[in-house]
Amino acid sequence: DQQVKQNSPSLSVQEGRISILNCDYTNSMFDYFLWYKKYPAEGPTFLISISSIKDKNEDGRFTVFLNKSAKHLSLHIVPSQPGDSAVYFCAASLNNNDMRFGAGTRLTVKP
Amino acid sequence: DTEVTQTPKHLVMGMTNKKSLKCEQHMGHRAMYWYKQKAKKPPELMFVYSYEKLSINESVPSRFSPECPNSSLLNLHLHALQPEDSALYLCASSQVGQQYGYTFGSGTRLTVV
């Protein structure tokens, strides 16, 4: 049972434009949502998180939006840069440090 | 030191072998994790250690045996594995608490022959 879903396996965006990565979840008990970025041959790197009591969190070029009623979150990257090209994982956390990951979306930012 | 170090990076083992994967961090994190990732799939949680005690075991077969000898080290002992256990094994650490992102190691690519 996959509780966190990323339905787009890939996304291609022009440099300087906005990248929007989407994620859906099924378990309303999740307390925190996180985004990770993964380069080849490296482990995932934590990017940004949001508590379930908030609807937006911003950190530089990265903003995460949470819509609890729709059980949906998104990551916006503005402006997109070629160095942002990577696989992005959405994750959701229950208590006791139990974190579940989506399947990932491969973002390609073209110069 | 802001890294999680996993060794070895690659491992090929036979189904009758015994081997161990090692993970080390010196960030003072008191939560450590093992995840398994198959190709084109999300990382799947295997074990969680919190303050050196096993807090989550996601119904992992007994041929995988975790060990946390101290707050900086996490091992995964492997015995009598099957070819379908071939995967990338990721170790991660974090402060205890849901809002803290994990720091992942680069993983061990395991092939069971």
Side-chain angles (χ1 to χ4, degrees):
Chain A
D1 175 28
Q2 197 168 340
Q3 299 182 53
V4 180
K5 298 178 183 178
Q6 292 176 258
N7 293 319
S8 297
S10 62
L11 173 68
S12 183
V13 171
Q14 205 67 33
E15 181 179 6
R17 307 295 289 267
I18 185 171
S19 295
I20 300 177
L21 298 133
N22 293 304
C23 178
D24 298 294
Y25 61 95
T26 57
N27 190 339
S28 58
M29 299 300 292
F30 286 132
D31 285 52
Y32 273 88
F33 302 89
L34 306 94
W35 284 94
Y36 287 81
K37 175 180 178 180
K38 185 180 187 302
Y39 292 117
E42 294 183 11
T45 302
F46 169 67
L47 266 180
I48 190 169
S49 66
I50 186 169
S51 164
S52 61
I53 62 172
K54 297 192 173 183
D55 55 19
K56 178 182 175 181
N57 188 26
E58 190 172 353
D59 183 3
R61 296 186 297 115
F62 301 90
T63 303
V64 57
F65 295 92
L66 176 63
N67 182 335
K68 281 192 70 176
S69 60
K71 294 192 177 71
H72 177 83
L73 67 154
S74 60
L75 175 68
H76 293 210
I77 307 174
V78 182
S80 302
Q81 299 172 356
D84 295 329
S85 297
V87 177
Y88 288 78
F89 288 99
C90 170
S93 175
L94 295 162
N95 55 13
N96 293 327
N97 292 92
D98 184 347
M99 188 175 296
R100 307 291 165 150
F101 286 81
T105 297
R106 181 175 300 281
L107 173 66
T108 302
V109 180
K110 298 180 178 178
Chain B
D1 188 352
T2 58
E3 289 186 348
V4 173
T5 303
Q6 287 188 246
T7 55
K9 291 196 183 305
H10 300 274
L11 178 63
V12 179
M13 61 184 291
M15 289 188 284
T16 58
N17 291 160
K18 284 185 182 180
K19 295 286 185 183
S20 296
L21 308 184
K22 296 186 184 301
C23 175
E24 189 169 2
Q25 57 89 13
H26 297 286
M27 294 176 280
H29 290 170
R30 300 305 295 275
M32 296 186 77
Y33 315 84
W34 281 114
Y35 279 83
K36 173 183 176 180
Q37 186 177 21
K38 305 274 270 184
K40 298 190 191 299
K41 297 286 187 182
E44 295 176 12
L45 183 64
M46 299 176 72
F47 301 105
V48 178
Y49 273 84
S50 182
Y51 297 106
E52 295 86 69
K53 293 193 188 316
L54 184 64
S55 60
I56 295 179
N57 176 341
E58 286 291 315
S59 302
V60 178
S62 60
R63 58 186 183 269
F64 296 92
S65 174
E67 178 197 19
C68 190
N70 60 54
S71 60
S72 299
L73 294 174
L74 185 66
N75 299 321
L76 186 63
H77 302 297
L78 314 172
H79 174 54
L81 294 194
Q82 304 296 311
E84 58 265 29
D85 296 322
S86 298
L88 179 68
Y89 288 83
L90 291 163
C91 173
S93 70
S94 74
Q95 297 180 51
V96 176
Q98 302 159 250
Q99 70 272 34
Y100 299 109
Y102 295 179
T103 301
F104 279 89
S106 298
T108 294
R109 176 73 59 189
L110 174 67
T111 303
V112 182
V113 297

